[in-house]
Amino acid sequence: MNGQYSTGLSTPTTASLDDLGPVGTMLREHGRAKLSGLLRISGSPGGTVFLRDGLVVAASTPASPGPESLLLRSGRVSEEAWNLAFTAGAPSGHLAAELVAQSAIGTAGLEVVCLSAIFDAVFAMELFGVETCEPETTGPHGLLPPLPVLPGITTDRLVRDLSRRMAMTAAWQEIGVYPQCRPVAIRPLPESSLQVEKIRQDVLLKCNGRRTPRDIAFVLGQGLYVVMQEIASLAEAGLLEPSLPGAPKKVSAEDPTKPPGLPQRRRGTSKVGKALPQRPDRPTIEPRIPPDLTVRPEENPET
Amino acid sequence: MAHDALLSELHSLRDQVTGVMESAVATVDGLLVVADTDGAQPEVVSALAAATLGLGKRTGHEVGMGELREVVIRCRGGYIVVYAVGQVALLAVLADEGLDVTRLHIESRPAVERLGALLTKEHSAN
């Protein structure tokens, strides 16, 4: 590969920014209609966008990590602080205030995470594909997911950002980085103390050929877009292979060489004694096979 | 070979349902048949899933809620879902917290049916 970071990280042309995808079109339409409610977006996997007076206050989808995953998985907020704040604040809708009150995270830091979760969710829905969209009016007091951004983001701002991100991903597809790819690390990165390098390093370490960019985003508690950007850049640098077509998937099984058949319960067959951590005060359970079973005649399929 | 057919069922479940990370098929008494796992220890998952399924069935029966659909365990970092596969086996699915639960419910039923058919074939061939 020549020219590190060339493809995929260039500025998209203005023509591609004017091309609204299905999610962008729906957002703009219902934003202008000042909807207070939600948009149920069906797709693979689709998601939900919550609006108040035409402003987007929250968005959730299985395709990108929400605020809770971003805060907890990345270690920005501790499990204990989250539990305390959730118990105290979630029923009354004051989770954000409780998190800040407990000094778990600063107001600005929290807002950045919640905002980026919305941008990321909208991007993820568009990227993974959308079939239909059903608006539902709930009024200004409808139930919202935890950690909404109030008063909300204008749909124009969201749509602008969405177009920019979609134009970027179109460039990444050319080098094989797409939402369903399962990248494999080829070479490790040299050690670095820079924070930016740390995310790169973390992403590369999770590229084991099983995980999609979305799976890595959840494991690390980072946005889908950020993770895809890192994967594209790592692929450009030749540190990973974006996808291996027809790669053998990791198999673990009783014993694939044996003839098929359900395993039978005999002492030690489960191998649980070997899999569990050994304790010095407990003897390991070894299979005790009765004498009449120690020599089993070989099954010959031809007879 | 039935082993490969079982494994490809597990792979396609992971491909089709956003959030599914690992899965395993085991006998109802907790012996591993086949697994598509990454970090989890398949033998341990099989044994614990069998216990979970037994407990779920018993609890459902005790409170009169009818036949067991599945046992769902939700943790901070995701879900563990255990399905009965016929009378002889079970399917354990491990997923992250972003799991598309609706999709899993839709896709898992036919997957369980197909796994059941493959296992019954094996069982009767033995």
Side-chain angles (χ1 to χ4, degrees):
Chain A
M1 296 236 181
N2 57 347
Q4 218 179 344
Y5 313 130
S6 55
T7 331
L9 298 176
S10 57
T11 314
T13 59
T14 43
S16 59
L17 292 180
D18 296 332
D19 183 22
L20 283 188
V23 175
T25 314
M26 292 166 199
L27 280 176
R28 186 161 280 180
E29 179 193 332
H30 294 287
R32 287 184 178 160
K34 301 271 179 224
L35 176 77
S36 279
L38 45 93
L39 299 177
R40 283 189 207 285
I41 295 173
S42 73
S44 46
T48 314
V49 180
F50 298 82
L51 295 104
R52 285 282 176 281
D53 290 326
L55 299 176
V56 177
V57 291
S60 66
T61 167
S64 74
E68 182 178 343
S69 302
L70 293 177
L71 292 170
L72 288 174
R73 289 263 193 164
S74 61
R76 292 180 183 102
V77 169
S78 75
E79 182 78 33
E80 195 189 1
W82 174 270
N83 287 341
L84 283 172
F86 195 89
T87 314
S92 53
H94 295 109
L95 177 56
E98 280 295 329
L99 281 171
V100 173
Q102 294 191 17
S103 311
I105 191 168
T107 318
L110 183 61
E111 197 174 311
V112 167
V113 168
C114 297
L115 269 176
S116 69
I118 296 180
F119 281 101
D120 210 44
V122 169
F123 160 69
M125 283 183 236
E126 176 85 36
L127 184 67
F128 277 80
V130 169
E131 285 152 20
T132 56
C133 169
E134 279 178 39
E136 189 182 316
T137 309
T138 58
H141 303 293
L143 198 62
L144 290 176
L147 301 176
V149 173
L150 295 166
I153 315 163
T154 62
T155 49
D156 282 342
R157 190 177 155 203
L158 260 178
V159 168
R160 257 199 320 275
D161 186 79
L162 176 63
S163 305
R164 183 184 63 83
R165 291 186 182 205
M166 289 309 292
M168 288 292 202
T169 49
W172 297 338
Q173 300 231 348
E174 288 166 20
I175 54 167
V177 178
Y178 52 96
Q180 290 81 17
C181 74
R182 300 184 189 272
V184 189
I186 305 170
R187 285 190 286 126
L189 261 175
E191 284 290 326
S192 169
S193 55
L194 291 173
Q195 185 61 29
V196 181
E197 286 290 309
K198 190 176 175 305
I199 296 176
R200 248 170 106 73
Q201 183 80 271
D202 290 346
V203 169
L204 189 62
L205 285 174
K206 297 295 174 198
C207 291
N208 64 355
R210 277 183 67 96
R211 301 189 180 99
T212 62
R214 174 256 169 225
D215 299 343
I216 297 172
F218 268 90
V219 172
L220 298 177
Q222 297 291 339
L224 174 68
Y225 182 76
V226 172
V227 168
M228 285 191 77
Q229 196 170 34
E230 290 299 343
I231 291 174
S233 143
L234 286 162
E236 288 262 283
L239 295 171
L240 61 78
E241 190 64 51
S243 50
L244 293 179
K249 292 172 180 172
K250 192 184 162 191
V251 176
S252 37
E254 180 70 352
D255 185 356
T257 56
K258 276 187 194 168
L262 291 179
Q264 308 261 309
R265 168 66 62 187
R266 281 194 304 272
R267 191 179 288 221
T269 357
S270 76
K271 297 181 193 131
V272 133
K274 284 184 186 161
L276 287 171
Q278 290 203 356
R279 277 170 41 189
D281 57 328
R282 199 175 55 190
T284 320
I285 304 166
E286 288 296 332
R288 271 188 242 160
I289 303 165
D292 57 320
L293 282 176
T294 44
V295 181
R296 297 180 70 194
E298 285 292 319
E299 282 179 45
N300 191 343
E302 285 166 22
T303 54
Chain B
M1 192 175 154
H3 176 271
D4 293 339
L6 289 170
L7 196 60
S8 71
E9 276 298 333
L10 299 187
H11 287 161
S12 77
L13 192 65
R14 180 154 61 86
D15 283 338
Q16 283 166 3
V17 185
T18 309
V20 170
M21 296 287 122
E22 306 175 65
S23 58
V25 174
T27 58
V28 271
D29 54 354
L31 295 180
L32 174 66
V33 177
V34 61
D36 170 38
T37 50
D38 188 15
Q41 301 186 66
E43 286 88 3
V44 179
V45 171
S46 301
L48 292 175
T52 304
L53 188 70
L55 198 59
K57 275 184 183 165
R58 187 80 186 92
T59 312
H61 179 74
E62 188 59 38
V63 296
M65 288 200 182
E67 200 189 332
L68 181 91
R69 291 273 170 88
E70 65 261 322
V71 182
V72 182
I73 300 173
R74 184 176 167 232
C75 304
R76 195 260 290 161
Y79 299 81
I80 304 123
V81 190
V82 185
Y83 299 89
V85 179
Q87 298 295 313
V88 288
L90 64 86
L91 166 68
V93 177
L94 310 185
D96 64 28
E97 71 269 34
L99 173 69
D100 190 345
V101 182
T102 323
R103 173 71 63 181
L104 180 68
H105 286 326
I106 295 170
E107 298 289 346
S108 61
R109 290 289 139 203
V112 163
E113 288 290 316
R114 289 192 295 268
L115 288 171
L118 286 167
L119 287 166
T120 326
K121 222 188 292 172
E122 281 195 4
H123 202 51
S124 51
N126 248 17

